[in-house]
Amino acid sequence: MPITAENPLKMSLFKFELLKGYPKLIHGISTRHAPQNPLWPEVQPESPNEYKIGGANLGLADEVILKRRAELLAACGGDWEKHFTSLTSGYQVHSANVAAIGPEAYGAGLTWRNSIPETDGLVTDLSGLPLLTGHADCPPILFYDPLQKVIGAAHSGWRGTVSKIGGAMVRVMVEKYGCQPANILAGIGPSIGACCYTFGGPGIAEIEQAFGQDMAEELLPLQPDGSHTFDLWTAIRYTLLEAGLKPENIESSELCSQCYQDTFFSYRATSPEMRGRQGNYAALIMLV
């Protein structure tokens, strides 16, 4: 599993090979494991595998979540003292809404009450502005155009995937920042896989309408018991290719959050009475 703790905080992170090696870029996706060398011992969980970095109804003080997010920024390679006040996120509603982030949005992600309303995708060309999205089965997608120096972060749940938020991200990068799709790199992070994501109901018709009957059959493999599962990773990849990205510029983690629920928070692996309180792992990207 491509998880590394080679950072000053000894914090376990997933990193895309595709995005490594760029001196002007930092990124990382947290796990449920707390740093072994934390900045603030007082905000660490009682159990080291309950490092909740976001999520609704957690019962945690804002200070705890904020400091854990600062620890993620530091573990990814950022200067938390300098850049944490610029951390920006959206209030995620499973949409395909994308916001271009300018100076006026600095600090929008410091509390849930101050995040960008009804936004699941963030794009910016500003350095020192960390973009953060939260996840507990829904795929994170990180974007980088190394020529135009533009980054993006998206939360792509099933509704966002069917609404093709990946394509919406590319459109904003092209129209707002002059990016060329062929130059854009994209990483699809850990999330629930087709191995575990049982899917049915009216959502099947939405997938057929969005992707066409033939593609929908590939995205909704039939299981021996007659049920379907939804292949979010392939759907996102298809959308990115449709938007003009090169196949070699798309990387998928292929890590299922339910299969690896000991590493990543999983909504579906949580008992029904605890869903919504299971906590999130987070994806972060920043230009430096």
Side-chain angles (χ1 to χ4, degrees):
M1 187 185 300
I3 305 290
T4 177
E6 295 180 358
N7 54 73
L9 277 69
K10 296 183 180 180
M11 183 176 182
S12 296
L13 300 174
F14 173 88
K15 293 202 172 191
F16 293 105
E17 292 295 328
L18 198 64
L19 300 181
K20 289 181 180 179
Y22 288 97
K24 297 296 183 182
L25 183 73
I26 66 167
H27 82 285
I29 297 174
S30 69
T31 70
R32 61 188 302 155
H33 300 299
Q36 297 179 49
N37 186 28
L39 295 174
W40 295 283
E42 69 273 15
V43 303
Q44 304 310 303
E46 292 183 9
S47 173
N49 68 342
E50 287 296 312
Y51 191 73
K52 299 175 180 180
I53 210 159
N57 304 317
L58 294 181
L60 298 174
D62 279 1
E63 180 185 16
V64 172
I65 296 298
L66 298 185
K67 286 183 175 179
R68 290 182 187 178
R69 291 182 175 191
E71 288 182 328
L72 172 60
L73 175 58
C76 288
D79 183 340
W80 73 267
E81 292 181 292
K82 184 177 181 181
H83 297 132
F84 180 64
T85 54
S86 301
L87 187 146
T88 299
S89 65
Y91 186 83
Q92 298 170 179
V93 291
H94 296 269
S95 70
N97 299 336
V98 178
I101 307 301
E104 73 285 349
Y106 268 36
L110 290 180
T111 70
W112 298 281
R113 290 165 294 285
N114 194 34
S115 54
I116 299 170
E118 298 186 350
T119 299
D120 287 80
L122 309 163
V123 179
T124 193
D125 64 348
L126 296 176
S127 61
L129 196 160
L131 304 179
L132 182 142
T133 53
H135 307 268
D137 281 337
C138 297
I141 318 174
L142 297 182
F143 296 80
Y144 180 47
D145 181 340
L147 297 185
Q148 293 297 103
K149 301 296 188 294
V150 177
I151 57 171
H155 163 262
S156 187
W158 83 263
R159 292 188 181 279
T161 298
V162 171
S163 299
K164 300 187 177 180
I165 189 173
M169 293 285 290
V170 174
R171 283 194 298 276
V172 170
M173 294 176 75
V174 170
E175 295 171 5
K176 177 72 175 179
Y177 300 102
C179 299
Q180 296 296 318
N183 297 329
I184 296 173
L185 311 177
I188 305 165
S191 58
I192 196 165
C195 49
C196 294
Y197 192 12
T198 304
F199 197 85
I204 289 181
E206 294 182 43
I207 294 169
E208 291 173 343
Q209 182 176 3
F211 293 95
Q213 184 68 45
D214 291 344
M215 187 65 189
E217 290 181 5
E218 179 181 347
L219 299 178
L220 294 163
L222 185 64
Q223 304 304 306
D225 64 359
S227 66
H228 291 270
T229 58
F230 185 17
D231 188 343
L232 288 164
W233 303 334
T234 298
I236 294 168
R237 182 178 179 85
Y238 175 84
T239 298
L240 296 175
L241 292 171
E242 187 179 53
L245 271 66
K246 294 180 178 179
E248 62 269 27
N249 286 348
I250 304 171
E251 178 182 348
S252 180
S253 72
E254 303 295 318
L255 292 176
C256 173
S257 50
Q258 186 163 335
C259 289
Y260 292 100
Q261 59 187 273
D262 57 338
T263 302
F264 300 100
F265 292 104
S266 172
Y267 176 87
R268 288 202 164 211
T270 305
S271 59
E273 64 272 14
M274 288 298 295
R275 288 179 178 176
R277 290 181 286 169
Q278 77 286 329
N280 289 353
Y281 53 98
L284 183 144
I285 190 166
M286 184 179 77
L287 294 167
V288 296

